Amino acid sequence: MNAEISTPADELAQRLSATPRGARLARRLAGQQLDAWGFPYGGDVNDAVQHVVAELAANAVTHGRVPGRDFELRLLLFLPDATLRIEVSDARDDRLPAPAAPGEDEGEGGRGLRLVHAFSRAWGVAGRDVGKTVWAELPLKEADMTEQRIGTSDPKPC
Ligand SMILES: Nc1ncnc2c1ncn2[C@@H]1O[C@H](COP(=O)(O)OP(=O)(O)OP(=O)(O)O)[C@@H](O)[C@H]1O
Ligand SMILES: [Mg+2]
């Protein structure tokens, strides 16, 4: 699916320390970037992206952490496909994300990837030279865009 989608209209890539502070920063950056792209704070898209980034970043700095190595956040905006792709890469390739089955592990943990699944059109894991990338693609709704973004994404014929 991902290979076929169009060239991103915009992109953010940021390396961050694999710490709780780095994970919090990832969420904050995502909220700021979505707002700058025309998906304002308080809107469904901005909220959903912040939730997904927070969960993937938390996983990267706990389960995917290799001491001394950063993790990376990438956001890719595909306007013709009405899709926002989130990529969180960490340095560890000996453990993979494994969502808890429904009903399993209701007490401690196992909630993060279920939340990612609920917000996403699709999500998955891709290998890389060092470590892995956990990605999620979220639908964008015009109703969540500012007037400025709607004007950019839906050009009228001259
Ligand atoms: N980036 C990652 N690298 C390695 N393993 C991962 C990664 N992300 C998730 N996992 C594995 O998948 C499991 C499920 O992740 P999930 O985020 O759903 O729950 P959790 O992190 O254990 O708890 P929480 O509800 O606090 O998110 C984790 O316990 C871990 O074993
Ligand atoms: Mg988690």
Coordinates of all heavy atoms in Angstrom, one line a residue, residues 9-103:
A9 N 3.5 15.8 0.3 CA 3.5 17.3 0.1 C 4.4 18.0 1.1 O 4.8 19.1 0.8 CB 2.0 17.7 0.3
D10 N 4.6 17.4 2.2 CA 5.4 18.0 3.3 C 5.9 16.9 4.2 O 5.3 15.8 4.2 CB 4.5 19.0 4.1 CG 5.0 20.4 3.9 OD1 6.3 20.6 4.0 OD2 4.2 21.3 3.7
E11 N 7.0 17.2 4.9 CA 7.6 16.2 5.7 C 8.4 16.8 6.8 O 8.9 17.9 6.7 CB 8.7 15.5 4.7 CG 9.3 14.3 5.3 CD 10.2 13.5 4.3 OE1 10.1 13.8 3.1 OE2 11.0 12.7 4.8
L12 N 8.3 16.1 8.0 CA 9.1 16.5 9.2 C 10.0 15.3 9.5 O 9.4 14.2 9.6 CB 8.2 16.9 10.3 CG 8.9 16.9 11.7 CD1 9.6 18.3 11.9 CD2 8.0 16.7 12.8
A13 N 11.2 15.5 9.8 CA 12.1 14.4 10.3 C 12.9 15.0 11.4 O 13.5 16.0 11.3 CB 13.0 13.9 9.2
Q14 N 12.8 14.3 12.6 CA 13.5 14.8 13.8 C 14.1 13.6 14.6 O 13.4 12.7 14.9 CB 12.6 15.6 14.6 CG 13.1 16.2 15.9 CD 14.1 17.3 15.6 OE1 13.8 18.3 14.8 NE2 15.3 17.3 16.1
R15 N 15.4 13.7 14.8 CA 16.0 12.7 15.8 C 15.8 13.2 17.2 O 16.0 14.4 17.5 CB 17.5 12.5 15.4 CG 17.7 11.6 14.3 CD 19.1 11.5 13.9 NE 20.0 11.0 15.0 CZ 21.2 10.7 14.8 NH1 21.8 10.7 13.6 NH2 21.9 10.2 15.8
L16 N 15.6 12.3 18.1 CA 15.3 12.7 19.5 C 16.0 11.7 20.4 O 16.1 10.5 20.1 CB 13.8 12.7 19.7 CG 13.0 13.7 18.9 CD1 11.5 13.2 18.7 CD2 13.0 15.1 19.6
S17 N 16.3 12.2 21.6 CA 16.9 11.3 22.6 C 15.9 10.2 23.0 O 14.7 10.5 23.2 CB 17.4 12.0 23.8 OG 16.4 12.6 24.5
A18 N 16.4 9.0 23.2 CA 15.5 7.9 23.6 C 15.3 7.9 25.1 O 15.7 7.0 25.8 CB 16.1 6.5 23.1
T19 N 14.6 8.9 25.5 CA 14.2 9.2 26.9 C 12.8 9.6 27.0 O 12.2 10.0 26.0 CB 15.1 10.3 27.5 OG1 14.8 11.5 26.7 CG2 16.6 10.1 27.3
P20 N 12.2 9.5 28.2 CA 10.8 10.0 28.4 C 10.7 11.4 27.9 O 9.7 11.8 27.3 CB 10.6 9.9 29.9 CG 11.5 8.8 30.3 CD 12.7 8.9 29.4
R21 N 11.7 12.2 28.1 CA 11.7 13.6 27.6 C 11.6 13.7 26.1 O 10.9 14.5 25.5 CB 12.9 14.4 28.2 CG 12.8 15.8 27.9 CD 14.0 16.6 28.6 NE 13.9 18.0 28.2 CZ 14.5 18.5 27.1 NH1 15.2 17.7 26.4 NH2 14.5 19.8 26.8
G22 N 12.4 12.8 25.5 CA 12.4 12.8 24.0 C 11.0 12.4 23.5 O 10.5 12.9 22.5
A23 N 10.4 11.4 24.2 CA 9.1 11.0 23.7 C 8.1 12.1 23.9 O 7.2 12.3 23.0 CB 8.7 9.7 24.6
R24 N 8.1 12.8 25.0 CA 7.2 13.9 25.2 C 7.4 15.0 24.1 O 6.5 15.6 23.6 CB 7.4 14.6 26.6 CG 6.8 13.8 27.7 CD 6.7 14.6 29.0 NE 8.0 15.1 29.4 CZ 8.8 14.4 30.2 NH1 8.5 13.2 30.6 NH2 10.0 15.0 30.6
L25 N 8.7 15.2 23.8 CA 9.0 16.2 22.7 C 8.4 15.8 21.4 O 7.9 16.6 20.6 CB 10.5 16.4 22.7 CG 11.1 17.5 21.9 CD1 10.4 18.9 22.3 CD2 12.6 17.6 22.1
A26 N 8.5 14.5 21.1 CA 8.0 14.0 19.8 C 6.5 14.3 19.7 O 6.0 14.8 18.7 CB 8.2 12.5 19.7
R27 N 5.7 14.1 20.8 CA 4.3 14.4 20.8 C 4.1 15.9 20.6 O 3.2 16.3 19.8 CB 3.7 14.0 22.1 CG 2.2 14.3 22.2 CD 1.6 14.0 23.5 NE 0.2 14.2 23.4 CZ -0.7 13.4 23.9 NH1 -0.4 12.4 24.7 NH2 -2.0 13.6 23.8
R28 N 4.9 16.7 21.3 CA 4.7 18.2 21.1 C 5.0 18.6 19.7 O 4.3 19.5 19.1 CB 5.6 18.9 22.2 CG 5.0 20.2 22.6 CD 5.8 20.9 23.7 NE 6.2 19.9 24.8 CZ 7.5 19.9 25.3 NH1 8.4 20.8 24.9 NH2 7.7 19.1 26.3
L29 N 6.1 18.1 19.2 CA 6.5 18.5 17.8 C 5.4 18.1 16.8 O 5.1 18.9 15.9 CB 7.8 17.7 17.4 CG 9.1 18.3 17.9 CD1 10.2 17.4 17.5 CD2 9.3 19.7 17.2
A30 N 4.8 16.9 17.0 CA 3.7 16.5 16.1 C 2.5 17.4 16.2 O 2.0 17.8 15.1 CB 3.3 15.1 16.5
G31 N 2.2 17.8 17.4 CA 1.0 18.8 17.5 C 1.3 20.1 16.8 O 0.5 20.6 16.1
Q32 N 2.5 20.6 17.0 CA 2.9 21.9 16.4 C 2.9 21.8 14.9 O 2.5 22.6 14.1 CB 4.4 22.3 16.8 CG 4.4 22.9 18.2 CD 5.9 23.0 18.6 OE1 6.8 22.7 17.9 NE2 6.1 23.5 19.9
Q33 N 3.5 20.7 14.4 CA 3.6 20.5 12.9 C 2.3 20.3 12.2 O 2.0 20.9 11.2 CB 4.5 19.3 12.6 CG 4.8 19.1 11.1 CD 5.6 20.3 10.6 OE1 6.8 20.4 10.8 NE2 4.9 21.2 9.8
L34 N 1.4 19.6 12.9 CA 0.1 19.4 12.3 C -0.7 20.7 12.3 O -1.4 21.1 11.3 CB -0.7 18.4 13.1 CG -0.7 16.9 12.6 CD1 -1.5 16.8 11.3 CD2 0.8 16.5 12.3
D35 N -0.5 21.5 13.4 CA -1.1 22.8 13.4 C -0.6 23.7 12.3 O -1.4 24.4 11.5 CB -0.8 23.5 14.8 CG -1.6 24.8 15.0 OD1 -2.9 24.7 15.1 OD2 -1.0 25.8 15.0
A36 N 0.7 23.7 12.1 CA 1.3 24.5 11.0 C 0.9 24.0 9.6 O 0.8 24.8 8.7 CB 2.9 24.4 11.1
W37 N 0.6 22.7 9.5 CA 0.1 22.2 8.2 C -1.4 22.4 8.0 O -2.0 22.0 7.0 CB 0.4 20.7 8.1 CG 1.8 20.4 7.8 CD1 2.7 21.2 7.2 CD2 2.5 19.1 8.0 NE1 3.9 20.5 7.0 CE2 3.8 19.3 7.5 CE3 2.1 17.9 8.5 CZ2 4.7 18.2 7.5 CZ3 3.0 16.8 8.5 CH2 4.3 17.0 8.0
G38 N -2.1 23.0 9.0 CA -3.5 23.4 8.8 C -4.4 22.4 9.5 O -5.6 22.4 9.2
F39 N -3.9 21.6 10.4 CA -4.8 20.7 11.2 C -4.7 21.2 12.7 O -3.8 20.8 13.4 CB -4.4 19.3 11.1 CG -4.5 18.8 9.7 CD1 -3.4 18.9 8.8 CD2 -5.6 18.3 9.2 CE1 -3.5 18.5 7.5 CE2 -5.7 17.8 7.9 CZ -4.6 18.0 7.0
P40 N -5.5 22.1 13.1 CA -5.3 22.9 14.3 C -5.4 22.1 15.6 O -6.1 21.1 15.7 CB -6.4 24.0 14.2 CG -7.5 23.4 13.4 CD -6.8 22.5 12.4
Y41 N -4.8 22.6 16.6 CA -4.9 22.1 17.9 C -6.4 22.0 18.3 O -7.1 22.8 18.0 CB -4.2 23.0 19.0 CG -2.7 23.0 19.0 CD1 -2.0 24.0 18.5 CD2 -2.0 21.8 19.4 CE1 -0.6 24.0 18.5 CE2 -0.7 21.8 19.5 CZ 0.1 22.9 19.0 OH 1.4 22.8 19.0
G42 N -6.7 20.9 18.9 CA -8.1 20.7 19.4 C -8.9 20.0 18.3 O -10.0 19.5 18.6
G43 N -8.5 19.9 17.1 CA -9.2 19.2 16.0 C -8.9 17.7 16.1 O -8.0 17.2 16.8
D44 N -9.8 16.9 15.5 CA -9.7 15.4 15.6 C -8.4 14.9 15.0 O -7.8 14.0 15.6 CB -10.8 14.8 14.8 CG -12.2 14.9 15.5 OD1 -12.2 15.3 16.7 OD2 -13.2 14.6 14.9
V45 N -7.9 15.5 13.9 CA -6.7 15.0 13.3 C -5.5 15.2 14.2 O -4.7 14.4 14.5 CB -6.5 15.6 11.9 CG1 -5.1 15.3 11.4 CG2 -7.5 15.0 10.9
N46 N -5.4 16.5 14.7 CA -4.3 16.9 15.5 C -4.3 16.0 16.8 O -3.2 15.5 17.2 CB -4.4 18.4 15.9 CG -3.1 18.9 16.4 OD1 -2.5 18.4 17.4 ND2 -2.6 20.0 15.8
D47 N -5.4 15.8 17.4 CA -5.5 15.0 18.6 C -5.1 13.5 18.3 O -4.3 12.9 19.1 CB -6.9 14.9 19.1 CG -7.3 16.2 19.9 OD1 -6.4 17.0 20.1 OD2 -8.5 16.3 20.3
A48 N -5.6 13.0 17.2 CA -5.3 11.6 16.9 C -3.8 11.4 16.6 O -3.2 10.4 17.1 CB -6.1 11.1 15.7
V49 N -3.2 12.3 15.9 CA -1.8 12.2 15.6 C -1.0 12.3 16.8 O 0.0 11.5 17.0 CB -1.4 13.3 14.5 CG1 0.1 13.4 14.4 CG2 -2.0 13.0 13.2
Q50 N -1.3 13.2 17.7 CA -0.6 13.3 19.0 C -0.7 12.0 19.8 O 0.3 11.6 20.4 CB -1.1 14.5 19.8 CG -0.7 15.9 19.3 CD -1.0 16.9 20.4 OE1 -0.5 16.8 21.5 NE2 -1.7 17.9 20.0
H51 N -1.9 11.4 19.8 CA -2.0 10.2 20.6 C -1.2 9.1 20.0 O -0.5 8.3 20.7 CB -3.5 9.7 20.6 CG -4.4 10.4 21.5 ND1 -4.1 10.5 22.9 CD2 -5.6 11.0 21.3 CE1 -5.1 11.2 23.5 NE2 -6.0 11.5 22.6
V52 N -1.2 8.9 18.7 CA -0.4 7.9 18.0 C 1.1 8.1 18.2 O 1.8 7.2 18.5 CB -0.8 7.7 16.5 CG1 0.1 6.8 15.8 CG2 -2.3 7.2 16.5
V53 N 1.5 9.3 18.0 CA 2.9 9.6 18.1 C 3.4 9.3 19.6 O 4.4 8.8 19.8 CB 3.2 11.1 17.7 CG1 4.6 11.5 18.2 CG2 3.1 11.3 16.2
A54 N 2.5 9.7 20.5 CA 2.9 9.5 21.9 C 3.1 8.0 22.2 O 4.0 7.6 22.9 CB 1.8 10.1 22.9
E55 N 2.2 7.2 21.7 CA 2.3 5.7 22.0 C 3.5 5.1 21.3 O 4.2 4.3 21.9 CB 1.0 5.0 21.5 CG -0.2 5.4 22.3 CD -0.1 5.1 23.8 OE1 0.7 4.2 24.2 OE2 -0.9 5.7 24.6
L56 N 3.7 5.5 20.0 CA 4.8 4.9 19.3 C 6.2 5.4 19.9 O 7.1 4.7 20.0 CB 4.8 5.3 17.8 CG 3.6 4.7 17.0 CD1 3.6 5.0 15.6 CD2 3.5 3.1 17.2
A57 N 6.2 6.7 20.2 CA 7.5 7.2 20.8 C 7.7 6.6 22.2 O 8.9 6.2 22.5 CB 7.4 8.7 20.9
A58 N 6.7 6.4 23.0 CA 6.8 5.8 24.3 C 7.4 4.3 24.1 O 8.3 3.9 24.8 CB 5.5 5.7 25.1
N59 N 6.9 3.6 23.1 CA 7.4 2.3 22.8 C 8.8 2.3 22.4 O 9.7 1.5 22.8 CB 6.5 1.6 21.8 CG 5.2 1.1 22.3 OD1 5.0 1.1 23.5 ND2 4.3 0.7 21.4
A60 N 9.2 3.3 21.5 CA 10.6 3.4 21.0 C 11.5 3.6 22.2 O 12.6 3.0 22.2 CB 10.7 4.5 20.0
V61 N 11.1 4.4 23.2 CA 12.1 4.7 24.3 C 12.1 3.7 25.4 O 12.9 3.8 26.3 CB 11.9 6.2 24.8 CG1 12.0 7.2 23.6 CG2 10.7 6.3 25.6
T62 N 11.1 2.8 25.4 CA 11.1 1.8 26.4 C 11.5 0.4 25.7 O 12.6 -0.1 26.0 CB 9.7 1.6 27.1 OG1 8.7 1.5 26.1 CG2 9.4 2.8 28.0
H63 N 10.6 -0.1 24.9 CA 10.9 -1.4 24.3 C 12.0 -1.4 23.2 O 12.6 -2.4 22.9 CB 9.6 -2.0 23.7 CG 8.4 -1.9 24.6 ND1 8.4 -2.4 25.9 CD2 7.2 -1.2 24.5 CE1 7.2 -2.1 26.5 NE2 6.5 -1.4 25.6
G64 N 12.1 -0.3 22.5 CA 13.0 -0.2 21.3 C 14.3 0.5 21.6 O 15.1 0.7 20.7
R65 N 14.6 0.8 22.9 CA 15.7 1.6 23.2 C 17.0 0.8 23.2 O 17.1 -0.3 23.7 CB 15.5 2.2 24.6 CG 16.7 3.1 25.1 CD 16.3 3.8 26.4 NE 17.5 4.5 26.9 CZ 18.4 4.0 27.7 NH1 18.2 2.8 28.2 NH2 19.4 4.7 28.1
V66 N 18.1 1.4 22.6 CA 19.4 0.9 22.7 C 20.2 2.1 23.4 O 20.2 3.2 22.8 CB 20.0 0.6 21.3 CG1 21.5 0.2 21.5 CG2 19.3 -0.6 20.7
P67 N 20.9 1.8 24.5 CA 21.5 2.9 25.2 C 22.5 3.7 24.3 O 23.2 3.1 23.5 CB 22.3 2.2 26.3 CG 21.5 1.0 26.6 CD 21.0 0.6 25.2
G68 N 22.4 5.0 24.3 CA 23.2 5.9 23.5 C 22.7 6.1 22.1 O 23.3 6.9 21.4
R69 N 21.6 5.5 21.7 CA 21.1 5.7 20.4 C 19.8 6.5 20.4 O 19.0 6.3 21.3 CB 20.8 4.3 19.7 CG 22.0 3.4 19.6 CD 23.1 4.0 18.8 NE 22.7 4.2 17.4 CZ 22.9 3.3 16.5 NH1 23.5 2.1 16.7 NH2 22.5 3.5 15.2
D70 N 19.7 7.4 19.5 CA 18.5 8.2 19.4 C 17.3 7.4 18.7 O 17.6 6.3 18.2 CB 18.7 9.4 18.5 CG 19.6 10.4 19.1 OD1 19.8 10.4 20.4 OD2 20.2 11.3 18.4
F71 N 16.1 8.0 18.8 CA 15.1 7.5 17.9 C 14.7 8.6 17.0 O 15.1 9.7 17.1 CB 13.9 6.9 18.7 CG 13.0 8.0 19.3 CD1 11.7 8.2 18.7 CD2 13.3 8.6 20.5 CE1 10.9 9.2 19.3 CE2 12.5 9.6 21.0 CZ 11.3 9.9 20.4
E72 N 13.9 8.3 15.9 CA 13.6 9.3 14.9 C 12.1 9.3 14.7 O 11.4 8.3 14.6 CB 14.3 9.0 13.6 CG 14.0 10.1 12.6 CD 14.8 9.9 11.3 OE1 15.9 9.3 11.3 OE2 14.3 10.3 10.3
L73 N 11.6 10.5 14.6 CA 10.2 10.8 14.3 C 10.1 11.3 12.9 O 10.9 12.3 12.5 CB 9.5 11.8 15.2 CG 8.2 12.3 14.8 CD1 7.1 11.2 14.9 CD2 7.8 13.5 15.7
R74 N 9.3 10.8 12.0 CA 9.0 11.4 10.7 C 7.5 11.5 10.5 O 6.7 10.6 10.9 CB 9.6 10.5 9.5 CG 11.0 10.6 9.4 CD 11.5 9.7 8.3 NE 11.3 10.3 7.0 CZ 11.1 9.6 5.8 NH1 10.9 8.3 5.9 NH2 10.9 10.3 4.7
L75 N 7.1 12.6 10.0 CA 5.7 12.8 9.6 C 5.6 13.1 8.1 O 6.4 14.0 7.7 CB 5.1 14.0 10.4 CG 5.1 13.9 11.9 CD1 4.6 15.2 12.5 CD2 4.3 12.7 12.4
L76 N 4.8 12.4 7.4 CA 4.7 12.7 5.9 C 3.3 12.9 5.6 O 2.4 12.1 5.9 CB 5.2 11.4 5.2 CG 6.7 11.1 5.5 CD1 6.7 9.8 6.3 CD2 7.5 10.9 4.2
L77 N 3.1 14.1 4.9 CA 1.7 14.5 4.6 C 1.4 14.2 3.1 O 2.1 14.7 2.2 CB 1.6 16.0 4.8 CG 0.3 16.7 4.6 CD1 -0.8 16.2 5.6 CD2 0.5 18.2 4.8
F78 N 0.5 13.3 2.9 CA 0.1 12.9 1.5 C -1.3 13.5 1.2 O -2.3 12.8 1.5 CB 0.1 11.4 1.4 CG 1.4 10.7 1.5 CD1 1.8 10.2 2.7 CD2 2.3 10.7 0.4 CE1 3.1 9.6 2.9 CE2 3.6 10.1 0.6 CZ 4.0 9.6 1.8
L79 N -1.3 14.7 0.7 CA -2.6 15.3 0.5 C -3.5 14.7 -0.5 O -4.7 14.5 -0.2 CB -2.4 16.8 0.2 CG -2.0 17.7 1.4 CD1 -1.7 19.1 0.9 CD2 -3.0 17.7 2.5
P80 N -3.0 14.3 -1.7 CA -4.0 13.6 -2.6 C -4.6 12.3 -2.1 O -5.7 12.0 -2.4 CB -3.1 13.3 -3.8 CG -1.9 14.3 -3.7 CD -1.7 14.4 -2.2
D81 N -3.8 11.7 -1.2 CA -4.3 10.4 -0.6 C -5.1 10.7 0.7 O -5.6 9.7 1.3 CB -3.2 9.5 -0.3 CG -2.3 9.3 -1.5 OD1 -2.7 8.5 -2.4 OD2 -1.3 10.0 -1.6
A82 N -5.2 11.9 1.1 CA -5.8 12.3 2.4 C -5.3 11.4 3.6 O -6.0 10.9 4.4 CB -7.3 12.2 2.3
T83 N -3.9 11.3 3.6 CA -3.3 10.5 4.6 C -2.1 11.2 5.2 O -1.3 11.9 4.6 CB -2.8 9.2 3.8 OG1 -3.9 8.5 3.3 CG2 -2.0 8.2 4.8
L84 N -2.0 10.9 6.5 CA -0.8 11.4 7.2 C -0.1 10.1 7.7 O -0.7 9.3 8.4 CB -1.2 12.3 8.4 CG -0.2 13.0 9.3 CD1 0.5 12.2 10.3 CD2 0.8 13.8 8.4
R85 N 1.2 10.0 7.3 CA 2.0 8.8 7.7 C 2.9 9.2 8.8 O 3.7 10.2 8.7 CB 2.7 8.3 6.5 CG 3.6 7.0 6.8 CD 4.2 6.4 5.6 NE 5.2 5.5 5.8 CZ 5.1 4.2 5.8 NH1 3.9 3.6 5.4 NH2 6.1 3.4 6.0
I86 N 2.9 8.4 9.9 CA 3.8 8.6 11.0 C 4.8 7.5 11.0 O 4.4 6.3 10.9 CB 2.9 8.6 12.3 CG1 1.9 9.7 12.4 CG2 3.9 8.6 13.6 CD1 0.9 9.5 13.5
E87 N 6.0 7.8 11.2 CA 7.1 6.8 11.3 C 7.9 7.1 12.5 O 8.4 8.2 12.7 CB 8.0 6.8 10.0 CG 7.3 6.5 8.7 CD 8.2 6.4 7.5 OE1 9.4 6.8 7.7 OE2 7.8 6.0 6.5
V88 N 8.1 6.1 13.3 CA 8.9 6.2 14.5 C 9.9 5.0 14.4 O 9.6 3.8 14.4 CB 8.1 6.1 15.8 CG1 9.1 6.1 17.0 CG2 7.2 7.3 15.9
S89 N 11.2 5.4 14.3 CA 12.3 4.4 14.1 C 13.1 4.3 15.4 O 13.5 5.3 16.0 CB 13.2 4.8 13.0 OG 12.4 5.0 11.8
D90 N 13.4 3.1 15.8 CA 14.3 2.9 16.9 C 15.4 1.9 16.5 O 15.4 1.4 15.4 CB 13.5 2.4 18.2 CG 12.9 1.1 18.0 OD1 13.5 0.1 17.6 OD2 11.6 1.0 18.2
A91 N 16.4 1.8 17.4 CA 17.6 1.1 17.0 C 17.6 -0.4 17.3 O 18.6 -1.1 17.0 CB 18.8 1.7 17.8
R92 N 16.5 -0.9 17.8 CA 16.5 -2.3 18.3 C 15.7 -3.2 17.3 O 14.6 -2.9 16.9 CB 15.8 -2.3 19.6 CG 16.2 -3.5 20.4 CD 15.9 -3.4 21.9 NE 16.0 -4.7 22.4 CZ 15.8 -5.0 23.7 NH1 15.6 -4.0 24.5 NH2 15.9 -6.2 24.1
D93 N 16.4 -4.3 16.9 CA 15.7 -5.1 15.9 C 15.5 -6.6 16.5 O 15.0 -7.4 15.7 CB 16.4 -5.2 14.6 CG 17.9 -5.6 14.7 OD1 18.2 -6.1 15.8 OD2 18.6 -5.4 13.8
D94 N 15.8 -6.8 17.7 CA 15.6 -8.1 18.3 C 14.2 -8.3 19.0 O 13.9 -9.4 19.5 CB 16.7 -8.4 19.3 CG 16.8 -7.4 20.4 OD1 16.3 -6.3 20.3 OD2 17.3 -7.8 21.5
R95 N 13.5 -7.2 19.0 CA 12.1 -7.3 19.6 C 11.2 -6.6 18.7 O 11.5 -5.5 18.1 CB 12.0 -6.6 21.0 CG 12.9 -7.3 22.0 CD 12.8 -6.5 23.3 NE 11.5 -6.5 23.9 CZ 11.2 -5.9 25.0 NH1 12.1 -5.2 25.7 NH2 10.0 -5.9 25.5
L96 N 10.0 -7.1 18.5 CA 9.0 -6.5 17.6 C 7.7 -6.1 18.4 O 7.4 -6.8 19.3 CB 8.6 -7.5 16.5 CG 9.7 -7.7 15.4 CD1 9.2 -8.7 14.4 CD2 10.0 -6.4 14.7
P97 N 7.0 -5.1 17.9 CA 5.8 -4.7 18.5 C 4.8 -5.9 18.4 O 4.7 -6.5 17.3 CB 5.3 -3.5 17.6 CG 6.5 -3.0 17.0 CD 7.4 -4.2 16.8
A98 N 4.1 -6.1 19.4 CA 3.1 -7.3 19.5 C 1.9 -6.8 20.3 O 2.0 -6.8 21.5 CB 3.7 -8.5 20.1
P99 N 0.8 -6.4 19.6 CA -0.3 -5.9 20.3 C -1.0 -7.0 21.2 O -1.0 -8.2 20.7 CB -1.3 -5.4 19.3 CG -0.7 -5.9 18.0 CD 0.7 -6.3 18.1
A100 N -1.4 -6.7 22.3 CA -2.1 -7.7 23.1 C -3.5 -8.0 22.5 O -4.1 -7.2 21.8 CB -2.4 -7.1 24.5
A101 N -3.8 -9.3 22.6 CA -5.1 -9.7 22.0 C -6.3 -9.1 22.9 O -6.1 -8.8 24.0 CB -5.3 -11.2 22.1
P102 N -7.4 -8.8 22.2 CA -8.5 -8.2 23.0 C -8.9 -9.1 24.2 O -8.9 -10.3 24.1 CB -9.7 -8.2 22.0 CG -9.1 -8.3 20.6 CD -7.8 -9.1 20.8
G103 N -9.0 -8.4 25.3 CA -9.4 -9.1 26.5 C -8.2 -9.5 27.3 O -8.2 -9.7 28.5

